[in-house]
Amino acid sequence: MTSTSFHIRRGRGSWRGILVATLSLAVLALPACAGSRVAGEKQQQQGNAAGGTIPELNLPTESDASMGSLVNYNPFAVQQTVRTWLFEPLMQQSSLDCKVVPWLATGYSWESPSKLVFTIRQGVKWSDGSPFSAKDVAFTYNLTKKYPSIDLAGVWNDTFGPKGKSVTADGDKVTFEFEGPAATKFPYLIGQKIVSEKEFGPAGDPAKYVSKTPISTGPFKVATYNGRRLELERRPDYWQADKIKVQKLVLEGNYDANQAAAKLKAGELDFYSGEIPNPQKAFVAADPKTNHVWYAPNGLTVLAPNLTKKPFDDVKFREALAYGMDKQSATQKATYGLMKVASQSGLPLPEKDDLLPAKYPANSTVIPFDQAKAGELLDAAGYRKGSNGLRQNPDGSPLKITFSVQAGWIDYEAMADELTSNFRKLGLDITANKMPPEAVDQQKKSGNFQLMINYMGAGCDYAHGMGATVSTAEIPDKTTIKGNVGRYTNPAVDKAIGALAAATDEAATKEQVGVLVDAMMTDYPVLPILYAPARAIYRTDHAVGWPSAEDPYANPQDQPLVWITHLTAPPSK
């Protein structure tokens, strides 16, 4: 894998995937003592509850290298000095299991599919000592209405559902009203960082405002910044200060994979979520007691046939390919065994087993590698071998396949090499055409391709995560890459995706997601290969309690505000 593979590709493959959370599951081969280690850490945390402070944690910088010494703590700015630790959202939702963690809001209720009410936490103070209130929340969302360029949550546009009509505050309640059923907007709404009316009221256009003295609700405040090294200090008046054991955060350095591995091994970096090729060998092996890695499933990497091209317009041909893929070998070669083979259902399992229709037991949804069966299916569908040993179309014409592969994405290339070899053994005349990723992107827009590898979103908004791969509305056009690169169409799927907007409870969500799962299991619009990761590469000599395969309480990449409340000092030696 390269330092540019999964992380960047996730955004390219599904721009909504940047906002959609995803995943869950144990991805590493756990040592036999894993359970006892976790139990020990929990005991340590309990023992350290009264103290156990962590003097300092070192993390990579969150600012772009091009910012130089520019200081800007504005959470709406394109370039920010720090993105995570000052401002907070209403709630946090783990894409691992879609559980919601109350934050600045203590609860919510859908009074109707188009009316959502939050209860705002009381007793929270801004960093300047002034009281936080529901009025600040309503102010923030209405600010994004006044300045549409900062409306990344899509409250006032139709990106994730119908447009908002109003956001109002009354006492400790904030009420959202929409033009129609808007359940699909929930994951984005709750992620909006809340700002104070005191600071941003007189600031003018938030996209242009430069904040040098931020007023925020988060667990830390700025101590020092020298243009390269940012030090944040713990706020003793934070609303859950008893859970913050870290006294100082140091954010410094934009590291590539090799630099990050070196810093981690030297103890100069405590956590990293970028890509390090073969982190078990490059990092963990140096000190397995201290060095750890967890790659949680954060979506799916899939083989995407173009369903408007022969022979991929034939579902029987696609089914045969599903059995003819050695996904285990492809996964091992592409991810060094850190990830697992993905379910054909399109859902990350086992965390989302509950969403599977009863007729699809979880263990039946991973298509096994069975070349004999694949050959039988091809024969039965009329794709028989000719005198040259190569399979032909049912009408006897030659069958040739060109596999478009993003050159330089080493994990994609590893998967493509394995699958090309598998398909050749089936008698298919297939050629891998490795080309610049930009050229593959162009093919996604034009539809001028036969077969490629693509990203399939997951997350908790199933309409725009998983659904983006199978929705007719998500077929790319000449100017825009969307999720449904294979051009799959199914009226029942489109209807279910539309109905998800009104699905405000688990039963209704499961019913509609079941339609999508059924399409994946019977139509094979894409062929999942492996789960794409959210990474946690971390040390435990300065802090314990990180999210892990044994204790997956948070998405390590998307929920740092959650895991910072779980960290405590390791036991004294």
Side-chain angles (χ1 to χ4, degrees):
M1 294 185 284
T2 69
S3 60
T4 60
S5 59
F6 282 122
H7 193 67
I8 292 175
R9 192 172 310 132
R10 180 181 163 204
R12 285 182 173 174
S14 173
W15 60 272
R16 282 170 176 151
I18 296 172
L19 292 172
V20 177
T22 323
L23 56 143
S24 143
L25 119 94
V27 292
L28 303 179
L30 303 180
C33 60
S36 60
R37 179 171 69 78
V38 172
E41 286 191 0
K42 287 187 177 297
Q43 290 175 357
Q44 293 158 18
Q45 292 171 36
Q46 292 167 1
N48 285 319
T53 59
I54 302 166
E56 177 179 312
L57 275 188
N58 288 273
L59 306 174
T61 183
E62 295 181 344
S63 65
D64 192 299
S66 64
M67 284 190 71
S69 59
L70 174 67
V71 176
N72 193 355
Y73 300 109
N74 174 6
F76 298 117
V78 175
Q79 292 187 313
Q80 302 170 31
T81 305
V82 57
R83 296 178 178 275
T84 301
W85 306 108
L86 302 182
F87 295 89
E88 298 181 297
L90 291 182
M91 295 183 152
Q92 304 208 41
Q93 188 170 32
S94 171
S95 55
L96 299 175
D97 54 16
C98 294
K99 291 181 179 176
V100 173
V101 181
W103 215 256
L104 291 180
T106 58
Y108 71 95
S109 64
W110 287 95
E111 294 194 355
S112 76
S114 60
K115 187 176 182 179
L116 175 63
V117 180
F118 288 97
T119 301
I120 304 304
R121 187 177 299 280
Q122 301 298 292
V124 176
K125 289 183 178 180
W126 293 101
S127 54
D128 70 344
S130 59
F132 161 83
S133 74
K135 290 182 178 178
D136 290 303
V137 177
F139 166 78
T140 299
Y141 289 96
N142 283 303
L143 192 64
T144 69
K145 179 181 182 181
K146 185 176 181 180
Y147 299 97
S149 68
I150 62 169
D151 185 19
L152 299 182
V155 177
W156 307 103
N157 58 55
D158 59 3
T159 301
F160 304 113
K163 297 178 181 178
K165 291 170 60 178
S166 65
V167 179
T168 56
D170 183 10
D172 65 346
K173 307 292 184 185
V174 172
T175 301
F176 290 73
E177 293 195 68
F178 301 94
E179 292 180 350
T184 50
K185 290 208 168 197
F186 184 77
Y188 315 102
L189 292 177
I190 62 173
Q192 172 68 55
K193 297 291 182 68
I194 305 302
V195 298
S196 73
E197 185 170 5
K198 183 177 182 180
E199 178 181 10
F200 281 82
D205 185 348
K208 300 176 181 176
Y209 171 60
V210 176
S211 173
K212 294 188 177 181
T213 53
I215 300 174
S216 55
T217 62
F220 296 93
K221 61 182 180 181
V222 177
T224 63
Y225 182 57
N226 64 9
R228 180 180 55 84
R229 176 186 172 99
L230 174 65
E231 293 189 1
L232 303 174
E233 64 182 16
R234 176 180 176 273
R235 279 184 57 198
D237 61 343
Y238 180 53
W239 59 273
Q240 51 178 346
D242 60 318
K243 296 181 179 178
I244 304 298
K245 305 300 183 185
V246 178
Q247 303 301 299
K248 180 168 71 175
L249 281 180
V250 177
L251 281 65
E252 183 177 17
N254 298 97
Y255 304 121
D256 63 21
N258 292 331
Q259 292 169 332
K263 288 282 185 181
L264 283 162
K265 284 197 287 189
E268 297 172 357
L269 197 60
D270 290 292
F271 180 90
Y272 186 70
S273 61
E275 185 167 10
I276 294 177
N278 200 352
Q280 290 280 17
K281 180 179 179 181
F283 171 57
V284 176
D287 184 358
K289 289 186 177 179
T290 300
N291 303 346
H292 306 278
V293 58
W294 178 40
Y295 278 22
N298 199 37
L300 293 82
T301 302
V302 302
L303 187 64
N306 186 336
L307 276 57
T308 68
K309 305 286 187 182
K310 290 184 179 301
F312 302 106
D313 60 343
D314 185 347
V315 64
K316 295 178 181 177
F317 188 85
R318 302 195 297 270
E319 181 184 12
L321 292 191
Y323 283 95
M325 300 162 56
D326 189 348
K327 295 180 280 291
Q328 185 61 55
S329 179
T331 300
Q332 177 65 35
K333 292 175 180 177
T335 71
Y336 306 94
L338 284 169
M339 301 309 296
K340 286 188 175 180
V341 171
S343 163
Q344 179 62 37
S345 69
L347 292 171
L349 303 181
E351 279 67 19
K352 293 181 179 175
D353 282 359
D354 291 346
L355 288 172
L356 289 171
K359 64 181 178 180
Y360 296 121
N363 59 9
S364 73
T365 65
V366 177
I367 306 297
F369 176 49
D370 188 339
Q371 285 231 312
K373 181 169 182 175
E376 292 171 2
L377 289 170
L378 288 171
D379 289 341
Y383 300 95
R384 295 184 177 277
K385 292 181 180 178
S387 57
N388 60 359
L390 296 175
R391 293 187 182 274
Q392 302 173 331
N393 288 306
D395 63 3
S397 62
L399 193 167
K400 292 181 177 292
I401 298 172
T402 300
F403 189 173
S404 301
V405 183
Q406 293 88 336
W409 291 5
I410 297 175
D411 48 346
Y412 271 33
E413 291 192 44
M415 284 183 267
D417 290 345
E418 175 63 32
L419 300 182
T420 298
S421 174
N422 299 160
F423 295 155
R424 284 177 178 161
K425 290 177 181 175
L426 285 173
L428 294 171
D429 185 2
I430 181 170
T431 301
N433 182 15
K434 297 182 180 180
M435 61 182 76
E438 294 78 10
V440 178
D441 285 348
Q442 190 57 43
Q443 290 185 339
K444 293 178 182 178
K445 296 177 186 175
S446 68
N448 186 25
F449 73 95
Q450 285 185 291
L451 193 64
M452 65 172 56
I453 295 174
N454 199 36
Y455 174 78
M456 181 176 185
C460 305
D461 169 11
Y462 300 98
H464 299 100
M466 177 184 182
T469 295
V470 290
S471 167
T472 303
E474 293 292 335
I475 293 176
D477 56 36
K478 292 181 180 179
T479 60
T480 307
I481 297 175
K482 299 180 181 179
N484 188 359
V485 300
R487 277 73 178 163
Y488 175 71
T489 60
N490 182 329
V493 166
D494 291 341
K495 183 179 179 181
I497 290 172
L500 280 166
T504 57
D505 60 58
E506 292 182 4
T509 300
K510 179 175 180 176
E511 179 182 356
Q512 303 308 331
V513 171
V515 177
L516 275 59
V517 169
D518 198 49
M520 285 290 296
M521 295 299 300
T522 58
D523 281 353
Y524 302 91
V526 294
L527 309 176
I529 304 169
L530 55 84
Y531 294 123
R535 306 179 196 84
I537 307 170
Y538 60 95
R539 299 177 61 93
T540 54
D541 53 345
H542 299 145
V544 296
W546 303 95
S548 65
E550 308 97 301
D551 191 14
Y553 64 82
N555 180 324
Q557 288 188 192
D558 294 346
Q559 295 185 292
L561 281 173
V562 173
W563 56 245
I564 200 73
T565 67
H566 285 241
L567 298 185
T568 188
S572 300
K573 296 181 180 178

